Protein backbone atom coordinates (compact mmCIF):
# COMPACT_ATOMS: atom_id res chain seq x y z
CA UNK A 1 0.00 0.00 0.00
CA UNK A 2 1.48 3.30 -1.12
CA UNK A 3 1.21 6.42 1.07
CA UNK A 4 -1.54 8.77 -0.05
CA UNK A 5 -1.68 12.53 0.42
CA UNK A 6 -4.77 14.76 0.23
CA UNK A 7 -5.72 18.38 0.82
CA UNK A 8 -9.05 19.79 1.96
CA UNK A 9 -9.97 23.38 2.67
CA UNK A 10 -11.90 24.66 5.68
CA UNK A 11 -15.43 25.95 5.27
CA UNK A 12 -17.49 28.48 7.16
CA UNK A 13 -21.24 27.94 7.44
CA UNK A 14 -23.56 30.74 6.38
CA UNK A 15 -26.60 28.77 7.54
CA UNK A 16 -25.31 26.91 10.57
CA UNK A 17 -25.34 23.30 11.71
CA UNK A 18 -25.75 23.06 15.47
CA UNK A 19 -27.18 19.84 16.87
CA UNK A 20 -27.32 16.18 15.95
CA UNK A 21 -30.12 13.82 15.04
CA UNK A 22 -30.65 11.05 17.59
CA UNK A 23 -28.70 7.82 17.08
CA UNK A 24 -25.27 6.92 15.75
CA UNK A 25 -23.58 8.10 12.59
CA UNK A 26 -23.15 11.78 13.48
CA UNK A 27 -26.20 12.83 11.47
CA UNK A 28 -27.05 16.52 11.73
CA UNK A 29 -30.43 17.62 13.11
CA UNK A 30 -30.66 20.20 10.32
CA UNK A 31 -29.16 20.92 6.93
CA UNK A 32 -26.65 23.76 6.45
CA UNK A 33 -24.97 25.90 3.80
CA UNK A 34 -21.30 26.82 3.79
CA UNK A 35 -18.51 28.49 1.88
CA UNK A 36 -15.25 26.58 1.42
CA UNK A 37 -12.36 29.06 1.78
CA UNK A 38 -9.16 29.20 -0.22
CA UNK A 39 -6.90 30.39 2.59
CA UNK A 40 -7.21 27.61 5.19
CA UNK A 41 -6.44 23.98 4.50
CA UNK A 42 -5.25 20.70 5.96
CA UNK A 43 -2.87 18.35 4.21
CA UNK A 44 -2.96 14.75 5.37
CA UNK A 45 -0.78 11.77 4.50
CA UNK A 46 -1.87 8.27 5.38
CA UNK A 47 0.51 5.32 5.30
CA UNK A 48 0.97 1.82 6.68
CA UNK A 49 2.63 1.55 10.05
CA UNK A 50 3.22 -0.96 12.84
CA UNK A 51 0.82 0.87 15.16
CA UNK A 52 -1.79 3.62 14.81
CA UNK A 53 -0.25 7.05 15.09
CA UNK A 54 -1.64 10.53 14.51
CA UNK A 55 0.83 13.35 14.10
CA UNK A 56 -0.68 16.82 13.92
CA UNK A 57 1.56 19.77 13.06
CA UNK A 58 4.61 17.67 13.97
CA UNK A 59 3.26 16.65 17.39
CA UNK A 60 2.30 13.06 18.20
CA UNK A 61 -1.33 13.02 19.39
CA UNK A 62 -2.68 10.76 22.12
CA UNK A 63 -5.97 10.52 24.02
CA UNK A 64 -9.16 11.82 22.48
CA UNK A 65 -7.62 13.22 19.30
CA UNK A 66 -5.94 9.91 18.44
CA UNK A 67 -9.08 7.97 19.41
CA UNK A 68 -11.21 10.08 17.06
CA UNK A 69 -8.90 9.37 14.12
CA UNK A 70 -8.78 5.65 15.02
CA UNK A 71 -12.58 5.46 15.22
CA UNK A 72 -12.74 7.08 11.80
CA UNK A 73 -10.23 4.61 10.31
CA UNK A 74 -12.19 1.72 11.83
CA UNK A 75 -15.10 2.67 9.57
CA UNK A 76 -13.12 1.88 6.45
CA UNK A 77 -10.05 -0.22 7.12
CA UNK A 78 -9.94 -3.92 6.52
CA UNK A 79 -8.21 -6.32 8.94
CA UNK A 80 -7.44 -3.41 11.27
CA UNK A 81 -4.36 -2.40 9.24
CA UNK A 82 -2.34 -0.05 11.47
CA UNK A 83 -1.91 3.41 9.96
CA UNK A 84 0.10 6.52 10.47
CA UNK A 85 -1.82 9.71 9.78
CA UNK A 86 0.31 12.84 9.41
CA UNK A 87 -1.57 16.15 9.18
CA UNK A 88 -0.41 19.68 8.70
CA UNK A 89 -3.14 22.11 9.61
CA UNK A 90 -2.94 25.48 7.91
CA UNK A 91 -5.92 26.52 10.03
CA UNK A 92 -5.60 27.53 13.68
CA UNK A 93 -6.69 24.38 15.62
CA UNK A 94 -9.47 24.52 18.24
CA UNK A 95 -10.28 28.16 17.63
CA UNK A 96 -13.59 28.05 15.78
CA UNK A 97 -12.00 28.23 12.35
CA UNK A 98 -13.22 24.87 11.15
CA UNK A 99 -10.01 22.83 11.48
CA UNK A 100 -12.01 19.63 12.07
CA UNK A 101 -13.85 20.23 8.79
CA UNK A 102 -10.72 20.41 6.65
CA UNK A 103 -9.02 17.74 8.80
CA UNK A 104 -11.65 15.04 8.38
CA UNK A 105 -12.36 15.95 4.75
CA UNK A 106 -8.65 15.52 3.93
CA UNK A 107 -8.50 12.25 5.88
CA UNK A 108 -11.62 10.91 4.13
CA UNK A 109 -10.22 11.85 0.73
CA UNK A 110 -6.86 10.19 1.49
CA UNK A 111 -8.51 7.09 3.01
CA UNK A 112 -10.73 6.69 -0.07
CA UNK A 113 -7.62 6.25 -2.21
CA UNK A 114 -5.49 4.39 0.35
CA UNK A 115 -8.09 1.69 1.00
CA UNK A 116 -9.33 1.74 -2.64
CA UNK A 117 -12.90 2.46 -1.50
CA UNK A 118 -14.02 3.94 -4.82
CA UNK A 119 -16.37 6.47 -3.22
CA UNK A 120 -17.91 9.25 -5.32
CA UNK A 121 -18.11 12.76 -3.86
CA UNK A 122 -21.49 12.23 -2.26
CA UNK A 123 -20.37 9.02 -0.52
CA UNK A 124 -17.09 10.71 0.37
CA UNK A 125 -19.00 13.53 2.06
CA UNK A 126 -20.97 10.95 4.06
CA UNK A 127 -17.72 9.37 5.18
CA UNK A 128 -16.21 12.76 6.11
CA UNK A 129 -19.36 13.53 8.14
CA UNK A 130 -18.70 10.50 10.35
CA UNK A 131 -15.53 12.30 11.49
CA UNK A 132 -17.07 15.76 11.79
CA UNK A 133 -20.42 17.05 10.53
CA UNK A 134 -18.99 20.17 8.93
CA UNK A 135 -16.30 18.10 7.13
CA UNK A 136 -18.90 16.75 4.68
CA UNK A 137 -19.15 20.24 3.15
CA UNK A 138 -15.37 20.59 2.66
CA UNK A 139 -15.43 17.85 0.02
CA UNK A 140 -16.96 20.47 -2.31
CA UNK A 141 -15.60 23.77 -3.65
CA UNK A 142 -17.26 27.11 -2.91
CA UNK A 143 -20.82 26.87 -1.67
CA UNK A 144 -21.90 23.50 -0.31
CA UNK A 145 -25.21 22.36 1.07
CA UNK A 146 -25.41 19.71 3.77
CA UNK A 147 -28.57 17.61 3.80
CA UNK A 148 -30.20 16.34 6.97
CA UNK A 149 -29.80 12.85 5.50
CA UNK A 150 -26.05 13.25 6.04
CA UNK A 151 -24.49 14.02 2.68
CA UNK A 152 -23.41 17.29 1.10
CA UNK A 153 -23.52 18.62 -2.46
CA UNK A 154 -21.98 21.51 -4.33
CA UNK A 155 -24.20 24.54 -5.02
CA UNK A 156 -23.80 26.73 -8.08
CA UNK A 157 -22.84 30.20 -6.84
CA UNK A 158 -21.93 31.77 -10.19
CA UNK A 159 -24.42 34.60 -9.72
CA UNK A 160 -22.68 35.72 -6.55
CA UNK A 161 -19.39 37.44 -5.82
CA UNK A 162 -18.49 35.87 -2.47
CA UNK A 163 -15.57 36.98 -0.32
CA UNK A 164 -14.87 36.47 3.34
CA UNK A 165 -12.70 38.54 5.64
CA UNK A 166 -11.54 36.45 8.58
CA UNK A 167 -10.94 38.69 11.57
CA UNK A 168 -8.67 37.06 14.13
CA UNK A 169 -9.80 38.20 17.56
CA UNK A 170 -7.78 35.98 19.92
CA UNK A 171 -4.80 33.62 20.04
CA UNK A 172 -6.34 31.39 22.69
CA UNK A 173 -7.79 27.93 22.05
CA UNK A 174 -11.50 27.68 22.79
CA UNK A 175 -12.64 26.34 26.15
CA UNK A 176 -15.52 24.17 24.97
CA UNK A 177 -15.33 22.20 21.71
CA UNK A 178 -18.25 22.47 19.33
CA UNK A 179 -19.40 18.87 19.78
CA UNK A 180 -19.70 19.21 23.56
CA UNK A 181 -21.32 22.62 23.23
CA UNK A 182 -23.93 21.56 20.69
CA UNK A 183 -24.86 18.50 22.74
CA UNK A 184 -25.23 20.61 25.88
CA UNK A 185 -27.37 23.08 23.94
CA UNK A 186 -29.60 20.27 22.66
CA UNK A 187 -30.00 18.79 26.12
CA UNK A 188 -30.58 21.95 28.15
CA UNK A 189 -31.46 25.03 26.09
CA UNK A 190 -35.06 26.22 26.13
CA UNK A 191 -34.44 27.74 22.70
CA UNK A 192 -32.99 24.66 21.03
CA UNK A 193 -36.38 23.30 19.81
CA UNK A 194 -37.11 26.70 18.21
CA UNK A 195 -33.69 26.75 16.59
CA UNK A 196 -34.40 23.36 15.00
CA UNK A 197 -38.01 24.02 13.99
CA UNK A 198 -37.24 27.40 12.38
CA UNK A 199 -34.07 26.26 10.62
CA UNK A 200 -35.41 24.76 7.39
CA UNK A 201 -37.07 28.04 6.37
CA UNK A 202 -33.73 29.88 6.72
CA UNK A 203 -31.97 27.27 4.60
CA UNK A 204 -34.67 27.37 1.93
CA UNK A 205 -34.56 31.17 1.82
CA UNK A 206 -30.77 31.17 1.61
CA UNK A 207 -30.81 28.70 -1.28
CA UNK A 208 -33.37 30.91 -3.04
CA UNK A 209 -31.12 33.94 -2.49
CA UNK A 210 -28.18 32.04 -4.00
CA UNK A 211 -30.29 31.02 -6.96
CA UNK A 212 -31.36 34.65 -7.58
CA UNK A 213 -27.87 36.02 -6.94
CA UNK A 214 -29.31 38.11 -4.09
CA UNK A 215 -26.21 38.91 -2.01
CA UNK A 216 -28.05 41.18 0.43
CA UNK A 217 -30.63 38.54 1.29
CA UNK A 218 -27.96 35.86 1.70
CA UNK A 219 -25.98 38.20 3.96
CA UNK A 220 -29.01 39.00 6.12
CA UNK A 221 -29.78 35.30 6.53
CA UNK A 222 -26.12 34.61 7.37
CA UNK A 223 -26.24 37.02 10.30
CA UNK A 224 -29.65 35.79 11.36
CA UNK A 225 -28.54 32.15 11.42
CA UNK A 226 -25.39 32.78 13.45
CA UNK A 227 -27.19 34.97 16.00
CA UNK A 228 -29.96 32.40 16.40
CA UNK A 229 -27.39 29.63 16.90
CA UNK A 230 -25.54 31.65 19.55
CA UNK A 231 -28.84 32.61 21.22
CA UNK A 232 -29.66 28.92 21.60
CA UNK A 233 -26.26 28.43 23.29
CA UNK A 234 -26.79 31.38 25.63
CA UNK A 235 -29.91 29.66 26.96
CA UNK A 236 -28.02 26.40 27.69
CA UNK A 237 -27.28 25.42 31.28
CA UNK A 238 -24.59 26.37 31.99
CA UNK A 239 -24.64 29.06 29.29
CA UNK A 240 -22.09 28.88 26.52
CA UNK A 241 -20.72 31.83 24.64
CA UNK A 242 -17.74 32.21 22.39
CA UNK A 243 -17.87 36.00 21.93
CA UNK A 244 -15.09 38.16 23.29
CA UNK A 245 -15.52 41.92 23.75
CA UNK A 246 -13.51 42.31 20.54
CA UNK A 247 -15.97 40.08 18.66
CA UNK A 248 -18.75 42.52 19.63
CA UNK A 249 -16.64 45.50 18.56
CA UNK A 250 -16.18 43.91 15.13
CA UNK A 251 -19.89 43.08 14.84
CA UNK A 252 -20.80 46.66 15.78
CA UNK A 253 -18.40 48.02 13.19
CA UNK A 254 -19.93 45.81 10.51
CA UNK A 255 -23.40 47.09 11.36
CA UNK A 256 -22.16 50.70 11.30
CA UNK A 257 -20.58 50.23 7.88
CA UNK A 258 -23.82 48.74 6.64
CA UNK A 259 -25.72 51.81 7.80
CA UNK A 260 -23.25 53.81 5.74
CA UNK A 261 -24.15 51.77 2.67
CA UNK A 262 -21.49 49.04 2.57
CA UNK A 263 -22.66 45.49 2.10
CA UNK A 264 -21.04 43.41 4.82
CA UNK A 265 -22.46 40.69 7.05
CA UNK A 266 -20.84 38.87 9.97
CA UNK A 267 -20.85 35.28 11.14
CA UNK A 268 -19.24 33.54 14.15
CA UNK A 269 -18.71 29.88 14.95
CA UNK A 270 -17.51 28.10 18.06
CA UNK A 271 -14.81 30.68 18.71
CA UNK A 272 -14.34 34.45 19.04
CA UNK A 273 -13.23 35.19 15.48
CA UNK A 274 -15.59 37.10 13.22
CA UNK A 275 -15.90 36.34 9.52
CA UNK A 276 -17.30 39.06 7.33
CA UNK A 277 -19.12 38.15 4.13
CA UNK A 278 -18.65 40.82 1.46
CA UNK A 279 -18.17 41.47 -2.26
CA UNK A 280 -14.91 42.16 -4.12
CA UNK A 281 -15.50 45.91 -4.48
CA UNK A 282 -15.76 46.38 -0.71
CA UNK A 283 -12.87 44.13 0.35
CA UNK A 284 -10.24 46.91 0.41
CA UNK A 285 -12.15 49.43 2.49
CA UNK A 286 -13.54 46.80 4.88
CA UNK A 287 -10.14 45.15 5.42
CA UNK A 288 -8.53 48.51 6.20
CA UNK A 289 -11.36 49.38 8.57
CA UNK A 290 -11.23 46.02 10.34
CA UNK A 291 -7.46 46.20 10.78
CA UNK A 292 -7.90 49.54 12.54
CA UNK A 293 -10.17 48.13 15.27
CA UNK A 294 -7.99 48.09 18.42
CA UNK A 295 -7.04 44.53 19.38
CA UNK A 296 -7.64 42.90 16.01
CA UNK A 297 -4.71 40.56 15.44
CA UNK A 298 -5.01 39.91 11.73
CA UNK A 299 -7.50 40.11 8.88
CA UNK A 300 -7.29 37.54 6.09
CA UNK A 301 -9.09 37.81 2.79
CA UNK A 302 -10.55 34.53 1.55
CA UNK A 303 -12.18 33.66 -1.75
CA UNK A 304 -14.14 30.48 -2.46
CA UNK A 305 -11.74 27.56 -2.22
CA UNK A 306 -11.43 24.20 -4.00
CA UNK A 307 -12.97 20.90 -2.96
CA UNK A 308 -10.87 18.10 -1.44
CA UNK A 309 -8.28 16.60 -3.76
CA UNK A 310 -5.45 14.10 -3.89
CA UNK A 311 -1.82 15.11 -4.33
CA UNK A 312 0.68 13.32 -6.49
CA UNK A 313 3.64 13.61 -4.08
CA UNK A 314 3.81 13.48 -0.30
CA UNK A 315 5.79 16.59 0.46
CA UNK A 316 3.94 19.14 2.56
CA UNK A 317 2.71 22.40 1.09
CA UNK A 318 3.36 25.80 2.52
CA UNK A 319 0.26 27.71 3.56
CA UNK A 320 -0.74 30.92 5.25
CA UNK A 321 -2.46 30.89 8.61
C1 LIG B 1 -20.46 26.20 14.73
O1 LIG B 1 -18.70 19.95 12.55
O2 LIG B 1 -17.30 20.72 14.50
O3 LIG B 1 -18.97 25.43 13.04
O4 LIG B 1 -20.01 17.10 13.86
O5 LIG B 1 -19.51 17.28 16.29
O6 LIG B 1 -17.63 17.43 14.64
P1 LIG B 1 -19.10 17.70 14.91
O7 LIG B 1 -19.31 19.27 14.89
P2 LIG B 1 -18.63 20.37 13.96
O8 LIG B 1 -19.64 21.60 14.21
C2 LIG B 1 -19.56 22.77 13.48
C3 LIG B 1 -20.38 23.81 14.15
C4 LIG B 1 -20.26 25.21 13.58
C5 LIG B 1 -21.33 25.49 12.55
C6 LIG B 1 -21.14 24.86 11.20
O9 LIG B 1 -19.98 24.66 10.75
O10 LIG B 1 -22.18 24.61 10.54
Amino acid sequence: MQPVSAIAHANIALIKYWGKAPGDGNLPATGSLSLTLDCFFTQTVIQKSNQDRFILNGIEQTGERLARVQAFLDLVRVKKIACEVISENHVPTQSGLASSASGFAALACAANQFFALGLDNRALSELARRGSGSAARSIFPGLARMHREGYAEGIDARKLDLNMLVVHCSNLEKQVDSRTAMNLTAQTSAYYPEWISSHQADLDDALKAVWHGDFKKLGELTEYSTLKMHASMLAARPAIWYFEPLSWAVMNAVRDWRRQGLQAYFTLDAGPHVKVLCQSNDVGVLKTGLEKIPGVLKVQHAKPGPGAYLLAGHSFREGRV
Side-chain angles (χ1 to χ4, degrees), residues 29-91:
T30 64
S32 52
L33 178 71
S34 67
L35 182 64
T36 300
L37 304 183
D38 65 351
C39 69
F40 298 131
F41 66 92
T42 301
Q43 181 177 359
T44 293
V45 172
I46 179 166
Q47 58 194 14
K48 240 180 122 182
S49 174
N50 49 11
Q51 65 174 82
D52 283 345
R53 296 179 74 201
F54 174 36
I55 294 144
L56 177 62
N57 296 341
I59 298 167
E60 177 109 36
Q61 304 291 310
T62 53
E64 208 179 305
R65 279 197 185 152
L66 173 64
R68 209 164 150 185
V69 167
Q70 286 178 306
F72 184 84
L73 291 171
D74 288 344
L75 297 169
V76 288
R77 60 180 156 187
V78 275
K79 294 195 208 138
K80 275 255 177 195
I81 295 169
C83 298
E84 185 171 65
V85 172
I86 308 165
S87 277
E88 288 290 325
N89 236 348
H90 300 276
V91 188

Side-chain angles (χ1 to χ4, degrees), residues 79-227:
K79 294 195 208 138
K80 275 255 177 195
I81 295 169
C83 298
E84 185 171 65
V85 172
I86 308 165
S87 277
E88 288 290 325
N89 236 348
H90 300 276
V91 188
T93 308
Q94 278 286 94
S95 69
L97 285 170
S99 61
S100 69
S102 53
F104 278 103
L107 181 56
C109 185
N112 188 26
Q113 175 80 3
F114 188 70
F115 296 111
L117 304 174
L119 304 178
D120 62 15
N121 274 351
R122 174 173 162 166
L124 198 53
S125 75
E126 290 189 278
L127 175 60
R129 179 204 84 230
R130 303 290 296 267
S132 183
S134 51
R137 302 181 310 230
S138 276
I139 298 299
F140 297 93
L143 278 188
R145 175 194 184 170
M146 179 75 183
H147 290 264
R148 245 196 342 228
E149 292 73 20
Y151 65 92
E153 66 175 334
I155 297 290
D156 185 348
R158 270 175 298 181
K159 289 186 187 157
L160 289 164
D161 167 21
L162 297 173
N163 293 258
M164 208 167 248
L165 292 170
V166 180
V167 187
H168 294 250
C169 293
S170 166
N171 275 326
L172 302 176
E173 289 202 350
K174 63 186 163 191
Q175 301 292 312
V176 191
D177 68 83
S178 50
R179 184 164 292 192
T180 308
M182 74 172 75
N183 289 337
L184 185 73
T185 308
Q187 285 153 14
T188 65
S189 170
Y191 296 157
Y192 181 75
E194 301 302 326
W195 156 252
I196 297 297
S197 63
S198 64
H199 191 283
Q200 186 63 42
D202 301 341
L203 183 55
D204 290 344
D205 287 350
L207 289 166
K208 261 185 237 153
V210 172
W211 173 249
H212 292 296
D214 189 342
F215 181 82
K216 181 170 182 280
K217 183 82 190 162
L218 182 64
E220 285 168 1
L221 286 160
T222 295
E223 273 195 17
Y224 183 53
S225 182
T226 196
L227 290 173

